[in-house]
Amino acid sequence: MGARVTRLALVPPSLMYRAAMAARARAYRLRLLPASEVPVPVISVGNLTVGGSGKTPISSWIARYYVERGLQPGIVLRGYGNDEGKVHRRLVEEAIVVENPDRCAGASSAVEGGADVLILDDAFQRLDIIRDLNIVLMSAESGFAVRWTLPAGPWREGWRALRRADFLVITRKRASEEAAERMASRVERIAPRRPVAIARLGVTAFQGLLSGGRMSTESIRGAQVLAVAGVADPHGFAEQCQAFGANVRAMPLDDHHEFSERDLGQMLQAAKRVDYVVVTEKDAVKLRPMWPDHAPEPLVACLDVAWEDGQRELETALDTVVARVDDLVS
């Protein structure tokens, strides 16, 4: 009841926010507001909601795709919390990663550093940069969320904004294949004639935080696990670990959580009472410099992108974008 009353109080500012975002998009579409052009192909990866729909793993997957074709990708992001940038550097060591709240300046820095193609992470609402391919992610789980925009709900824009997209990707973590397919059908009705792909974002293995040693997901079956997650959906991470047969206790933290010495102490104490402490890659990049060598190391969940539909269409779109780059390897 209290949540409903609070949400009702937020409806007026939510309506104002939604109108302002729509007016802003219209101003860019009519070229009343200027947008910068970058001298290399630009792919934007974004979403409509606040929080995790898989922008970081999908952006890294695209960067890896280009590396394997002989290109030098640049990944440009705001750098909020200083964790996604570190994740990108670990996942795609060859990429030029630039963190700058000024995306135009960040894009220029990446090009000056030798980038052949740019991937803008979390940039669907950044309309001040012209892009060659506009990819929007929609998590299948978000189909259960309230449909209000900020601050009454999790949506940055209404679903009609999907019509700005060139390519739609439905991601799923806990949701079923059927739920992802239903979401795909919904977005196709709102934004027809756009290709749609479906990707499952799942933990495929675990890796020692300090040693880098890999373990299968079967390794935690029946184990006592503390799932530590400073991500948009920390309980979803705990449920993923539980799906592998572990007995899981969750330690949910805010998205982009900065670990303190107190947090570290709590985790070290917990590590004595459980078989494994399991963390996300996003949290691991901040914990590595802090974790003592003498303590049992946490396991880092390795998140992988598995395409269930539309991979070939996405690859064709990515190839088309960079067709004018001379050293593209076919």
Side-chain angles (χ1 to χ4, degrees):
M1 183 67 178
R4 289 184 181 179
V5 172
T6 301
R7 183 169 292 122
L8 283 173
L10 295 174
V11 167
S14 176
L15 293 173
M16 293 174 62
Y17 175 87
R18 183 168 183 162
M21 290 296 287
R24 175 176 172 270
R26 190 179 307 113
Y28 274 106
R29 186 174 66 251
L30 297 175
R31 299 185 180 180
L32 300 176
L33 291 175
S36 300
E37 188 168 4
V38 180
V40 300
V42 176
I43 295 97
S44 167
V45 178
N47 65 353
L48 295 186
T49 60
V50 174
S53 59
K55 296 183 295 293
T56 299
I58 295 293
S59 295
S60 285
W61 185 92
I62 293 171
R64 171 58 56 194
Y65 179 83
Y66 282 133
V67 167
E68 291 173 354
R69 278 146 187 79
L71 297 177
Q72 175 69 77
I75 302 176
V76 180
L77 64 160
R78 182 178 183 271
Y80 181 82
N82 198 31
D83 42 24
E84 281 100 344
K86 292 179 180 177
V87 172
H88 281 308
R89 291 184 181 97
R90 283 188 62 86
L91 295 178
V92 193
E93 296 179 358
E94 302 89 341
I96 298 169
V97 180
V98 177
E99 300 170 78
N100 194 329
D102 183 340
R103 299 296 182 92
C104 296
S108 297
S109 296
V111 173
E112 290 170 4
D116 298 319
V117 56
L118 296 185
I119 298 116
L120 308 181
D121 184 343
D122 194 10
F124 186 58
Q125 287 75 33
R126 290 304 307 257
L127 305 177
D128 53 348
I129 298 181
I130 297 172
R131 66 282 315 271
D132 299 276
L133 182 63
N134 216 9
I135 300 174
V136 176
L137 312 183
M138 292 284 285
S139 72
E141 289 82 3
S142 67
F144 304 103
V146 296
R147 294 291 291 270
W148 288 105
T149 49
L150 295 167
W155 300 91
R156 297 173 175 178
E157 298 184 82
W159 284 37
R160 288 172 61 90
L162 291 172
R163 296 172 184 174
R164 293 204 313 270
D166 301 310
F167 204 106
L168 304 169
V169 176
I170 310 302
T171 62
R172 71 180 186 95
K173 296 177 183 176
R174 292 172 290 157
S176 65
E177 291 183 47
E178 292 75 16
E181 290 168 359
R182 287 195 298 270
M183 176 66 82
S185 297
R186 290 171 67 182
V187 301
E188 284 174 331
R189 289 195 297 270
I190 294 168
R193 296 181 297 280
R194 273 78 169 177
V196 180
I198 299 177
R200 184 174 185 274
L201 308 178
V203 177
T204 56
F206 296 102
Q207 188 175 41
L209 178 73
L210 303 180
S211 67
R214 291 181 73 86
M215 295 172 53
S216 72
T217 56
E218 283 290 318
S219 302
I220 68 169
R221 183 174 297 279
Q224 300 293 322
V225 167
L226 176 68
V228 181
V231 295
D233 183 15
H235 293 288
F237 177 66
E239 288 180 20
Q240 283 187 301
C241 295
Q242 194 168 17
F244 297 127
N247 300 307
V248 178
R249 181 164 62 90
M251 181 176 170
L253 303 168
D254 292 336
D255 198 10
H256 303 288
H257 180 76
E258 289 295 336
F259 288 90
S260 65
E261 290 297 328
R262 180 180 179 183
D263 295 326
L264 182 63
Q266 290 178 341
M267 293 175 67
L268 289 171
Q269 286 300 315
K272 299 176 182 178
R273 301 190 295 270
V274 299
D275 298 307
Y276 300 109
V277 173
V278 179
V279 302
T280 71
E281 179 66 54
K282 190 172 173 180
D283 296 312
V285 295
K286 291 177 284 192
L287 282 170
R288 278 191 186 90
M290 303 173 63
W291 198 264
D293 294 336
H294 61 80
E297 63 177 352
L299 299 180
V300 182
C302 302
L303 193 67
D304 196 19
V305 178
W307 295 100
E308 297 179 327
D309 191 24
Q311 179 177 353
R312 182 173 298 178
E313 289 80 0
L314 178 57
E315 291 176 349
T316 298
L318 295 175
D319 290 342
T320 300
V321 164
V322 295
R324 61 189 173 90
V325 178
D326 292 338
D327 62 347
L328 176 63
V329 177
S330 58

